[in-house]
Amino acid sequence: MSLHRGADSTRGSGSTSDGEPRSRMLNPFFGEADPVSGMTSAPPTHRLPDGPMPPMTAYRIVHDELMLDGNARLNLATFVTTWMEPQAGVLMGECRDKNMIDKDEYPRTAELERRCVAMLADLWNAPDPAASVGCSTTGSSEAAMLAGMALKRRWSARNADRYPGAARPNLVMGINVQVCWDKFCNFWEVEPRLVPMEGDRFHLDPQAAADLCDENTIGVVAVLGSTFDGSYEPVQEICAALDALQERTGLDVPVHVDGASGAMVAPFLDEDLIWDFRLPRVSSINTSGHKYGLVYPGVGWALWRSQHELPEELVFRVNYLGGDMPTFALNFSRPGAQVVAQYYTFLRLGWEGYRAVQQASRDVACKLSDRFASIDEFRLLTRGDELPVFAVTTAPGVKSFDVFDVSRRLREQGWLVPAYTFPKNREDLSVLRVVCRNGFSADLADLLAEDLDRLLPELRKQPGPLGTDIAKATAFHH
């Protein structure tokens, strides 16, 4: 997230950079009381206005500026849900004033959260769903922090004689992990041990992960659905490599599955894939309710196999309906709307409904990736048959344009398709990534393909790529 800075004093005071009064001619109809009241002076943008204004005037000023944002439905960079049913929006509006942390005051909202945790524990094949523990979060980033904290605390308890001291904990993961894991290691003073990409392997290699583990390893993070290309990491093979490591060395390294996207796709479309609590080494799982959980931004989930995996000293307890309710979160006050929307969506769709929605997204992704593959200038890296996400690069020998040119030209048509370079060891590879979500229909995919067909003749005529700032051509960490 960008760090926003204040403006200079002249702009903040309602003046232009040369000191002249800043004016913005507002539509006279915005003046509710008097449409000819001379509303020619715009309010300052970086300090409080001197006085109030009519609510519709304030609304229109903000609304009109926001029109310059991109269209969320056409944003194929983000994994975040951009469409929900109107009924969900009504429910969210009814609950936006409820503080999720006030479980005594809003016991039914707390109960819906508890039910969602139970449903996810059952979906992810917890040995005893009733004994699983979990919580809602503001997203997978917070959930990852909580899971990492639990891993570190369990490791420190096992190594109380060496920590704190010379021993420095480490976390093993692929270089393709979402940026929240880099943040966790930075904030909680954990050494990140990253397995680089190699050749056509764009995510974590099981044996390479095991080779990086030692007595200071708090865990291994396996990603079910890489943000770089949409591919699943081989969780079962990673666990098997760690099983072999334990047999050789006695080291017992737990696995956390970052299922930000895939944990809400694989249970419905890839039932034979073993990645969840069926693997005894998997101690915790997170997901984003606001991604393929099909809820507007602001909700994630973190679950642990049992109370044993979540150290008791990390859990705070509040009185709930005369009983004891555990809470574990970094954030405190937040609205209950997204949790209520998650429960609504679980009720609304059920297992078969989720399967149908996710299958539709995968079908769109596979069909659209096939369209890209049919064009000689492109080469697919993935085709959307795991996450409904695919990555494509230019074919060898294409000299007139690159993926950054394609991204720029599609943006002219309203499509937001990210172009970026891969990380260490594959920094030579630049790709386009297309995320297909609920709401990105087959019709919209056809329109994107038609726009691509129209712009390609012009791209082919270019003498060469227009160039981009490679330092800024990084992955979209959505």
Side-chain angles (χ1 to χ4, degrees):
M1 182 178 68
S2 300
L3 298 178
H4 298 287
R5 301 180 183 275
D8 58 58
S9 59
T10 56
R11 181 169 174 80
S13 64
S15 301
T16 63
S17 58
D18 58 5
E20 292 297 319
R22 190 175 67 88
S23 64
R24 179 183 297 154
M25 183 59 183
L26 302 178
N27 188 325
F29 283 105
F30 290 177
E32 292 181 341
D34 183 359
V36 293
S37 59
M39 297 177 61
T40 59
S41 179
T45 56
H46 291 85
R47 67 170 176 82
L48 285 174
D50 294 333
M53 66 177 65
M56 184 52 70
T57 302
Y59 167 80
R60 293 305 309 186
I61 290 173
V62 178
H63 171 83
D64 287 356
E65 185 165 351
L66 289 175
M67 288 194 300
L68 297 176
D69 273 346
N71 185 326
R73 289 282 297 281
L74 302 183
N75 182 2
L76 304 184
T78 184
F79 286 78
V80 171
T81 295
T82 57
W83 182 87
M84 289 189 76
E85 292 174 316
Q87 292 86 347
V90 171
L91 270 176
M92 293 180 76
E94 293 171 351
C95 297
R96 62 191 169 199
D97 59 344
K98 295 183 179 181
N99 190 352
M100 191 69 220
I101 201 66
D102 292 337
K103 300 184 186 298
D104 275 342
E105 291 83 352
Y106 308 116
R108 301 323 301 171
T109 303
E111 170 63 14
L112 298 190
E113 178 188 30
R114 189 193 66 78
R115 293 178 190 175
C116 287
V117 168
M119 289 177 178
L120 290 171
D122 179 70
L123 183 67
W124 296 339
N125 295 292
D128 181 3
S132 297
V133 292
C135 62
S136 66
T137 64
T138 54
S140 273
S141 293
E142 183 187 0
M145 299 289 171
L146 300 179
M149 288 167 58
L151 290 174
K152 183 180 178 182
R153 188 62 63 91
R154 289 174 60 199
W155 171 86
S156 63
R158 296 193 305 269
N159 295 273
D161 57 328
R162 298 188 304 114
Y163 181 81
R168 186 187 180 195
N170 66 73
L171 183 66
V172 174
M173 49 197 169
I175 199 169
N176 57 299
V177 292
Q178 212 262 4
V179 69
C180 66
W181 289 104
D182 298 310
K183 290 182 179 180
F184 165 76
C185 290
N186 188 323
F187 296 164
W188 274 269
E189 298 181 328
V190 172
E191 175 195 353
R193 292 190 175 178
L194 302 176
V195 176
M197 295 180 176
E198 295 289 348
D200 291 331
R201 177 181 58 75
F202 304 126
H203 55 225
L204 187 61
D205 175 72
Q207 190 55 52
D211 291 343
L212 286 179
C213 294
D214 59 23
E215 66 275 9
N216 295 327
T217 301
I218 65 174
V220 173
V221 176
V223 181
L224 196 70
S226 172
T227 59
F228 279 87
D229 63 358
S231 62
Y232 294 156
E233 289 192 333
V235 181
Q236 188 171 21
E237 289 82 354
I238 292 169
C239 289
L242 294 175
D243 289 342
L245 176 69
Q246 184 175 9
E247 290 179 8
R248 294 195 311 271
T249 67
L251 292 175
D252 185 7
V253 180
V255 169
H256 171 78
V257 178
D258 182 350
S261 294
M264 293 305 297
V265 174
F268 305 106
L269 302 186
D270 307 295
E271 294 181 75
D272 295 332
L273 182 68
I274 307 298
W275 64 272
D276 52 19
F277 289 126
R278 286 170 289 183
L279 298 169
R281 196 165 291 277
V282 173
S283 65
S284 51
I285 301 172
N286 72 273
T287 197
S288 292
H290 60 221
K291 293 181 180 175
Y292 289 97
L294 308 180
V295 175
Y296 283 139
V299 64
W301 300 93
L303 270 70
W304 289 264
R305 170 183 294 275
S306 68
Q307 294 180 358
H308 173 72
E309 281 76 21
L310 181 59
E312 178 65 25
E313 62 267 26
L314 293 177
V315 179
F316 294 83
R317 298 189 175 277
V318 297
N319 185 274
Y320 168 55
L321 292 179
D324 185 59
M325 183 162 189
T327 66
F328 181 35
L330 296 179
N331 291 293
F332 201 70
S333 295
R334 58 188 174 91
Q338 282 80 4
V339 168
V340 170
Q342 184 74 84
Y343 185 68
Y344 163 84
T345 307
F346 283 168
L347 285 185
R348 170 74 174 90
L349 292 178
W351 195 94
E352 282 294 342
Y354 263 96
R355 187 206 61 77
V357 170
Q358 312 301 35
Q359 185 65 58
S361 294
R362 182 178 283 182
D363 290 345
V364 169
C366 290
K367 178 181 177 183
L368 185 56
S369 67
D370 287 343
R371 291 285 292 271
F372 273 86
S374 69
I375 300 171
D376 293 339
E377 285 87 353
F378 292 116
R379 178 173 69 90
L380 285 181
L381 302 181
T382 49
R383 62 180 302 268
D385 55 352
E386 292 182 324
L387 286 189
V389 176
F390 65 90
V392 60
T393 188
T394 49
V398 175
K399 304 297 184 184
S400 57
F401 64 90
D402 59 18
V403 292
F404 301 100
D405 293 328
V406 178
S407 178
R408 276 191 292 263
R409 293 303 306 274
L410 287 174
R411 183 178 288 264
E412 293 172 4
Q413 305 301 316
W415 303 103
L416 306 178
V417 181
Y420 54 88
T421 58
F422 271 25
K424 187 176 179 180
N425 284 21
R426 286 313 316 264
E427 294 161 310
D428 59 305
L429 182 61
S430 300
V431 304
L432 291 168
R433 188 196 67 201
V434 179
V435 178
C436 300
R437 306 175 309 277
N438 183 39
F440 181 65
S441 63
D443 287 342
L444 286 174
D446 287 341
L447 292 175
L448 172 62
E450 290 170 8
D451 283 339
L452 180 65
D453 289 339
R454 277 193 291 268
L455 64 86
L456 276 172
E458 297 179 22
L459 290 174
R460 290 168 179 146
K461 293 177 182 178
Q462 291 183 177
L466 298 183
T468 189
D469 183 354
I470 297 299
K472 297 180 181 178
T474 56
F476 277 62
H477 290 292
H478 293 353

